[in-house]
Amino acid sequence: MKLTILSGRSGSGKTTALQALEDHGYYCVDNLPLGLLPQLAGQLDDEDRVLERVAVGVDARNLPRQLLAFPSTLAELRKLQVETEIIFLDADHGTLLKRFSATRRPHPLSGDDRTLADAIAYEAELLADIRMRADLVIDTSTLDVHSLRNQIRQRVAGRNVRLSLLIQSFGFKNGLPNDADLVYDVRMLPNPHWHGDLRALTGRDDEVAAFLQSHQETEDLIDDIFQFLVRWLPSYAANDRSYVTVAIGCTGGRHRSVYLAEQLAQRLRNKAIPLHVRHRELEG
């Protein structure tokens, strides 16, 4: 049995993610007290019908002392030889404020003596230990419901390889991706944005590709990043890393980063390395 612990801040999409896992055959339990995790794992493992994949939602509705005791709970699970992975969903503070304001639902930690902003910050403190130990952090700040479900399907539920690789383009002007493991800055390349006939296009268009290919430094940079990934991704897998997110950033996230992400993905697939591609600024 494999136990997936799904956690994250309120408003980050945990309910959607848990439903997506359930749709893909997971046995799901939401809001289980953390202290009962070892008992649940032991009970399910003793059932006549073997449950191969179990997901448990854990959030701030747990008692604070149980959240703070998460490291010892995790150690107990591993002592019982339960295979575990931790998925943590997060979003930036401003996005969470907007989501709660839009839905008008109360935050589980807000009250007469704690504002919504304070509740969001306090929840981050309570869940810090879980986030720090997560195998995969998904930043949902720019994801809608359908995009989140697709990420869960591709990177968690549908994964049948040891290492799940995501190549993600982004724009520095909109901030670094919070879920990135490796970040490459490609802003030193010639910028198609300053060419009027290319400005409205993206790195997926042939005209932009031709412009970037006409500069040798583009090919050199792709080669360098590709060689690094081919050399070191096996080491990530050998050290029990299940997820790696490689972020490629330019200024706006529409031209150079998109083109490089597509080129790297193509080369890695030619090496039989399975992966997913996401263009944050094009899909957000």
Side-chain angles (χ1 to χ4, degrees), residues 113-128:
D113 59 342
R114 188 179 289 131
T115 66
L116 173 58
D118 290 339
I120 291 172
Y122 178 49
E123 184 178 37
E125 294 177 21
L126 290 177
L127 299 176

Side-chain angles (χ1 to χ4, degrees), residues 13-265:
K14 295 186 307 298
T15 299
T16 297
L18 202 63
Q19 289 172 347
L21 291 176
E22 190 168 36
D23 289 345
H24 284 83
Y26 280 70
Y27 179 85
C28 295
V29 180
D30 192 18
N31 193 29
L32 183 77
L34 264 174
L36 297 180
L37 266 178
Q39 293 174 246
L40 173 70
Q43 183 174 347
L44 293 178
D45 213 28
D46 289 339
E47 292 290 328
D48 293 333
R49 180 171 67 92
V50 177
L51 296 171
E52 294 184 356
R53 302 196 293 185
V54 177
V56 176
V58 173
D59 56 39
R61 290 172 290 179
N62 270 265
L63 295 175
R65 66 174 182 273
Q66 292 194 356
L67 292 171
L68 296 174
F70 179 73
S72 59
T73 301
L74 189 60
E76 188 174 350
L77 286 169
R78 288 172 177 165
K79 187 177 180 180
L80 294 171
Q81 298 184 325
V82 177
E83 182 184 0
T84 60
E85 71 172 353
I86 304 168
I87 312 297
F88 193 92
L89 304 187
D90 208 351
D92 62 64
H93 190 84
T95 297
L96 293 176
L97 277 172
K98 289 178 183 176
R99 288 175 180 173
F100 273 101
S101 298
T103 61
R104 299 185 180 181
R105 294 185 58 221
H107 191 283
L109 298 181
S110 64
D112 295 335
D113 59 342
R114 188 179 289 131
T115 66
L116 173 58
D118 290 339
I120 291 172
Y122 178 49
E123 184 178 37
E125 294 177 21
L126 290 177
L127 299 176
D129 260 337
I130 301 179
R131 192 186 196 284
M132 183 176 64
R133 289 168 171 78
D135 299 290
L136 173 65
V137 176
I138 299 178
D139 181 3
T140 70
S141 301
T142 62
L143 299 180
D144 59 23
V145 171
H146 305 294
S147 298
L148 175 57
R149 289 181 66 89
N150 284 337
Q151 281 222 26
I152 293 297
R153 174 179 57 81
Q154 293 172 351
R155 306 205 68 194
V156 184
R159 184 168 63 91
N160 56 11
V161 293
R162 188 171 184 183
L163 182 69
S164 174
L165 175 64
L166 174 67
I167 306 290
Q168 177 175 229
S169 69
F170 73 96
F172 276 97
K173 73 175 186 180
N174 295 318
L176 284 167
N178 292 330
D179 50 359
D181 298 297
L182 299 169
V183 178
Y184 292 97
D185 183 350
V186 302
R187 288 176 291 183
M188 78 292 287
L189 297 177
N191 192 351
H193 175 81
W194 300 117
H195 295 261
D197 55 332
L198 302 179
R199 183 171 300 171
L201 304 179
T202 76
R204 287 171 165 169
D205 292 305
D206 292 340
E207 295 88 342
V208 173
F211 170 80
L212 290 169
Q213 288 166 4
S214 69
H215 297 273
Q216 182 59 42
E217 57 262 50
T218 302
E219 186 68 19
D220 293 342
L221 184 56
I222 294 172
D223 282 341
D224 287 345
I225 298 174
F226 173 70
Q227 293 301 332
F228 178 90
L229 294 176
V230 169
R231 169 67 179 84
W232 290 106
L233 283 177
S235 296
Y236 278 92
N239 281 275
D240 295 325
R241 287 290 297 272
S242 298
Y243 305 91
V244 173
T245 297
V246 177
I248 312 292
C250 62
T251 305
R254 298 182 57 82
H255 298 103
R256 293 165 290 181
S257 60
V258 171
Y259 174 74
L260 264 73
E262 292 288 346
Q263 290 299 306
L264 286 168

